[in-house]
Amino acid sequence: MSNNKNIPYRINLPEELIPRQWYNIRADMKELPDPMLNPGTHEELKEEELYPIFCKALSHQEMDNKTRYIDIPESVIEFYKMCRPSPLIRAYCLEKELGTPAKIYYKFEGNNTSGSHKLNSAIPQVYYAKEEGIDGLTTETGAGQWGTALSMACAYYKMPLTVYMVKTSYNQKPYRKSIIETCGANIIPSPSETTNVGRAILEKFPGTGGSLGCAISEAVEAAVTATNSRYVLGSVLNQVLLHQSIVGLESKAAMEMYDEYPDIIIGCAGGGSNLGGLIAPFMKDKLEGKRNPYFIAVEPASCPSMTRGKYAYDFCDTGKVTPLAKMYTLGCGFQPSSNHAGGLRYHGMSPILSKLYYDGLLDEARAVEQTKVFESAVNFARCEGILPAPESSHAICVAVDEAIKCKESGEEKTILFGLTGTGYFDMSAYESFLNNTMSDYIPSDEDLQKAFEELPKIN
Amino acid sequence: MSNNKNIPYRINLPEELIPRQWYNIRADMKELPDPMLNPGTHEELKEEELYPIFCKALSHQEMDNKTRYIDIPESVIEFYKMCRPSPLIRAYCLEKELGTPAKIYYKFEGNNTSGSHKLNSAIPQVYYAKEEGIDGLTTETGAGQWGTALSMACAYYKMPLTVYMVKTSYNQKPYRKSIIETCGANIIPSPSETTNVGRAILEKFPGTGGSLGCAISEAVEAAVTATNSRYVLGSVLNQVLLHQSIVGLESKAAMEMYDEYPDIIIGCAGGGSNLGGLIAPFMKDKLEGKRNPYFIAVEPASCPSMTRGKYAYDFCDTGKVTPLAKMYTLGCGFQPSSNHAGGLRYHGMSPILSKLYYDGLLDEARAVEQTKVFESAVNFARCEGILPAPESSHAICVAVDEAIKCKESGEEKTILFGLTGTGYFDMSAYESFLNNTMSDYIPSDEDLQKAFEELPKIN
């Protein structure tokens, strides 16, 4: 079945090859992302201004554009050993099913209870907070992957955690709630009576199901008003991309063991944590002129921040309480439709990835429709034996398209994509696909234009 | 953190060390299990009598008491490569949490979409049926792990499959149904209108939620009445224990790499597939007098076939259509209470394990109560980062008890247990534990006595 008998189905790097340092791509970018701005003064944000929100070590990592390699704390490495190195899998069965000459690899991050790559950043974020003597953390979660990963990390470090979960998801996904509670975290449906912003929204919209923007606002308020508490976030931020670089570093090391190098690298992109981490060390090669892999970001057609958004300063949340970041955005007031890939329903995009895309280094962004994504997901589950998360399935979908192009052209390209997680908590989405009740939604130009009008007026 | 820096958290055997042969423990047993009997004549069953139910290769494996090692077909090895060798994990975090001098290892079988060890037998069962030109398979499923694994295997080999799922589970676990449908199988709530036995039961008990016994009867009827169709089963049978020996073979090979050997081996036991597979090669050492590991079977106090059952001939199903097997049984009419570990709610036990236990070679059976099991499960999830299935958590519970004994005695024992799968589809059980609405149920002596009265009169 294999077209190269020497390459195993699953490349498991030995434990001693877990990277000891994260890679900070900002140190190698010729042009840096534009700095974050204070939302009140529009002045460049100083590191100290982040201290009430994030702990100091993370605030520093957020602002550190210079240090190329940053040591992973020993305690974090110890935890990583429970689920890392994650396997790099050669998709022999998928290749055979497609009849493609392409070699397809995927880095699988779903083999931990949280079921996704989110754990890679959750662990260091909780570790640093613990080190600095922080007494509790707050966060928000939409689809629930981040909330689950963070609750696992907090269980491990015995750190109290409050998760504000978008009320609609809280009601629709009771098992996400259960798993977060199993890890010992406190979970509150948002909007709630526990914060000023929550109470104000409930008074104005008594029956609302909430939104990610509102949950962020509540989590931030809860952190900054409590004694010695901090807020943590699972994507978008520079610090998160830094931690996620472990995904790319391991992928590169595993491929090098077999003299392989990807021609095409594909990742789904919501806030950018997975794609940014996966491509980081390969982008380094490109920036240094050593190699020229082709990078593709895949986003849902229902929330097309890179393919149809503007590159502009915007708030990171809907409640407009965060600093401003220069990024591809649909406007923080954009309301994405109910796409089942909850992890990709974000109005903006990591400032690092936005800059790389703007500069033509991240080669392409491609928007795909939901039903096509689930078609790929079901085929993948049937032949590769892994039930993919809807988010990850965006990458599968484009990897399959590229492999079919290779079949047509006869090119033996090497494709690498990120399989960020499993879909065990997304079975209702699979069900609606199988029952033909899933619909595709693409926002109209008018919808987008209306959201763009709310962008802050800067530059 | 680790007390032996040379042993990694996860021992991943390389792909080339996937066993090429299953181990058939019957070839080394000094006394064989008593033979299966024809339920009508009470005569010893002949291999040919199984052909209408199982395909020929599997019928032969079921009866083969002599061949010590049986080649694993190349195609099955190719599939195994997608998820095997499964990791043997050193539970450093659990050891630290318990403060025990014991070394704890677990063989984790949950890293595939089916989420359990059931896939190990599903794949060869479908392979042999495909090889013999069988056109379709039927099975039943209770908790859903077997149904999921089999639907994955059938998707891989493009074999039509009909799953009779106990109606109560079908309604309570809609996502199990979805995942089976995602794999392309047909799923029917049982009892159904599709079989004579189903229609008869529905007429007699119009509102019934069904039972595993009824689902087995429907699946068997559907197989033997359809053209060129066969029935498959995920536990209890000799053939299943044979296939599951891969779990033990890999565990032993992984431990040998680090000069380790278990003093205590622990597995949960419902029908016996996991425990039988895990202990097989270690039992060989015991039978040959080379080593003397201590084996513990763990069962739910609510369904205590080994600890409180009789060693007697009984039907394998509630509908009394199957051959008779000599085993530890509570009587095929025994109705287990709603224990959340659906995979352990079986009235009988593998005839091989039953014989080993009867002969004192399987050292101990221990029954544990549900709430204690879930307490272990939650603690394990919090420190080891894996959400265990309720079934697997029975083994965790006893492993923890043994590790605590080591703490008290100061003994540095090496403990190995089977972590058969993940609990993603069991969150409602976790929820009832966390909400303190979970209850323990232990059948009374009178309940058991009543069920024993229905045992067939043989000998």
Side-chain angles (χ1 to χ4, degrees), chain B residues 111-296:
Chain B
N111 277 348
N112 65 71
T113 288
S114 82
S116 84
H117 68 295
K118 294 286 185 187
L119 197 56
N120 300 331
S121 184
I123 281 293
Q125 290 197 46
V126 179
Y127 165 79
Y128 288 120
K130 190 81 180 177
E131 277 291 293
E132 292 182 23
I134 303 302
D135 290 328
L137 294 174
T138 70
T139 198
E140 78 294 322
T141 199
Q145 289 191 329
W146 170 245
T148 309
L150 193 66
S151 66
M152 278 182 68
C154 284
Y156 184 77
Y157 283 116
K158 299 188 178 14
M159 168 71 79
L161 169 67
T162 300
V163 179
Y164 288 86
M165 186 167 186
V166 178
K167 196 177 276 177
T168 312
S169 297
Y170 181 92
N171 293 327
Q172 279 175 354
K173 299 191 178 190
Y175 297 152
R176 271 287 178 200
K177 168 178 159 292
S178 309
I179 195 167
I180 290 171
E181 288 177 338
T182 297
C183 292
N186 180 27
I187 183 161
I188 298 174
S190 167
S192 75
E193 295 283 349
T194 67
T195 62
N196 288 328
V197 65
R199 284 187 292 270
I201 289 174
L202 282 173
E203 196 170 320
K204 203 167 169 189
F205 309 102
T208 180
S211 71
L212 198 57
C214 168
I216 294 177
S217 304
E218 285 204 271
V220 172
E221 180 186 324
V224 298
T225 56
T227 309
N228 201 25
S229 189
R230 293 293 182 281
Y231 166 73
V232 288
L233 181 64
S235 191
V236 185
L237 299 172
N238 298 339
Q239 59 186 273
V240 177
L241 266 73
L242 173 71
H243 305 150
Q244 294 294 354
S245 69
I246 196 163
V247 176
L249 292 166
E250 285 183 8
S251 300
K252 192 156 182 269
M255 295 192 84
E256 278 169 0
M257 279 173 63
Y258 293 91
D259 288 325
E260 290 280 79
Y261 197 93
D263 299 302
I264 304 173
I265 305 178
I266 301 162
C268 62
S273 69
N274 146 66
L275 182 69
L278 176 66
I279 69 174
F282 300 101
M283 184 62 82
K284 181 174 192 290
D285 290 346
K286 189 166 192 148
L287 291 166
E288 292 171 351
K290 290 183 187 162
R291 292 275 197 170
N292 194 21
Y294 189 81
F295 300 107
I296 308 176

Side-chain angles (χ1 to χ4, degrees), chain A residues 266-268 274 298 390-400 417-419:
Chain A
I266 300 163
C268 62
N274 145 65
V298 191
E391 292 81 1
S392 325
S393 303
H394 285 70
I396 297 173
C397 182
V398 167
V400 165
F417 71 89
L419 192 72

Side-chain angles (χ1 to χ4, degrees), chain B residues 270 299 303-310 328-330 346-349:
Chain B
E299 58 184 16
C303 192
S305 55
M306 295 177 94
T307 49
R308 297 174 68 200
K310 285 202 188 309
Y328 279 88
T329 178
L330 296 164
Y346 183 66
H347 67 277
M349 178 56 59

Side-chain angles (χ1 to χ4, degrees), chain A residues 308-310 312-315 320 329-334 444-458:
Chain A
R308 296 174 69 199
K310 285 203 189 308
Y313 269 107
D314 197 5
F315 292 94
K320 301 189 181 181
T329 177
L330 296 164
C332 69
F334 178 77
S444 69
D445 289 339
E446 290 70 31
D447 291 339
L448 295 186
Q449 207 49 50
K450 203 174 154 196
F452 290 149
E453 281 164 17
E454 281 196 48
L455 284 172
K457 306 288 175 279
I458 294 163

